Amino acid sequence: MSSNIKVQRICQHCGSEFTALTTTTAYCSKQCNSRAYKAKLRAKKVEISNEATQQIKTKPIEILKNKEFLSVKEVSKLLGCSIRTIYYQIENGNLNAYNISQRVTRIRRTDIDKLFEQPQPVKNVDKIPIYNIEDCYTVTEIIQKFKISDSALNNIAKKNNIPKLKKGKFTYLPKIIIDELLN
């Protein structure tokens, strides 16, 4: 059955006006039809590639969510913060960490969850004496005065729980405590 229909249409690929012989014709020529088909295939491939990339990006986080024990680097990736921030939270006692051996620190997943479940307790400021910078030595002054190494000073400070004052790039330790320990 033939038809003598002649409909003015606009090509969906190139946008030019043409006369179509059927009401379903979308393209002005076979060339435009082929180009449109290839463009659809290309767009589909790009979409599949983008979805695969997105899955690859989110997969490590999904794996981290299922692990019971995480390294500091994994925790920083999971929380979206720097490694130094995680160490800062560990040093302040906000996050429990376990040293399995030297340079191997692990954090339990439940401890990370607890960090966000309960409000952070305010440290009791009354028990910690407040020192002025004038009453403190810098690390360099202690090293030069008592002729000890930097690592030895750090070990002494950790062992005796010496409070540190940080002001800019300098770290200060109270003169009273240092003089008592090193004299």
Side-chain angles (χ1 to χ4, degrees), residues 8-22:
Q8 286 302 106
R9 307 281 304 224
I10 294 179
C11 180
Q12 291 183 2
H13 180 70
C14 68
S16 64
E17 190 175 331
F18 70 99
T19 303
L21 300 177
T22 66

Side-chain angles (χ1 to χ4, degrees), residues 11 13-14 16 18 25-36:
C11 180
H13 180 70
C14 68
S16 64
F18 70 99
T25 305
Y27 304 103
C28 64
S29 65
K30 178 153 175 49
Q31 187 179 16
C32 279
N33 187 7
S34 296
R35 288 179 180 169

Side-chain angles (χ1 to χ4, degrees), residues 9-177:
R9 307 281 304 224
I10 294 179
C11 180
Q12 291 183 2
H13 180 70
C14 68
S16 64
E17 190 175 331
F18 70 99
T19 303
L21 300 177
T22 66
T23 58
T24 58
T25 305
Y27 304 103
C28 64
S29 65
K30 178 153 175 49
Q31 187 179 16
C32 279
N33 187 7
S34 296
R35 288 179 180 169
Y37 177 72
K38 288 179 181 179
K40 283 181 190 176
L41 289 180
R42 193 177 314 116
K44 191 173 184 178
K45 285 181 181 179
V46 168
E47 183 181 331
I48 290 170
S49 176
N50 288 341
E51 287 176 6
T53 302
Q54 193 61 33
Q55 286 178 350
I56 290 170
K57 281 182 174 179
T58 58
K59 189 175 180 181
I61 293 177
E62 294 300 322
I63 292 171
L64 293 178
K65 286 181 179 178
N66 296 327
K67 287 177 80 174
E68 179 64 26
F69 294 95
L70 302 167
S71 69
V72 174
K73 186 175 183 178
E74 291 170 338
V75 172
S76 70
K77 194 179 287 185
L78 182 66
L79 297 180
C81 61
S82 69
I83 294 173
R84 186 66 224 148
T85 301
I86 301 302
Y87 279 117
Y88 181 76
Q89 294 299 322
I90 292 169
E91 289 168 4
N92 286 341
N94 297 334
L95 188 60
N96 291 333
Y98 305 93
N99 286 332
I100 297 171
S101 66
Q102 188 177 15
R103 295 186 179 190
V104 179
T105 302
R106 295 292 180 248
I107 301 165
R108 262 192 315 191
R109 178 84 174 114
T110 54
D111 291 333
I112 297 168
D113 295 336
K114 287 178 187 175
L115 182 68
F116 295 105
E117 288 174 1
Q118 57 189 351
Q120 294 298 317
V122 178
K123 293 182 181 178
N124 193 350
V125 182
D126 298 337
K127 294 181 181 179
I128 302 171
I130 299 172
Y131 297 100
N132 291 328
I133 293 178
E134 297 83 34
D135 301 330
C136 297
Y137 291 123
T138 64
V139 173
T140 311
E141 289 173 342
I142 297 170
I143 290 170
Q144 289 173 353
K145 182 175 181 179
F146 296 103
K147 297 190 182 354
I148 61 171
S149 67
D150 189 30
S151 60
L153 179 60
N154 285 333
N155 289 337
I156 291 170
K158 281 183 184 178
K159 190 176 184 180
N160 296 301
N161 293 326
I162 299 174
K164 296 180 182 178
L165 274 164
K166 292 188 178 181
K167 187 86 170 188
K169 64 179 182 177
F170 297 104
T171 303
Y172 297 93
L173 300 168
K175 289 181 180 180
I176 299 168
I177 298 172

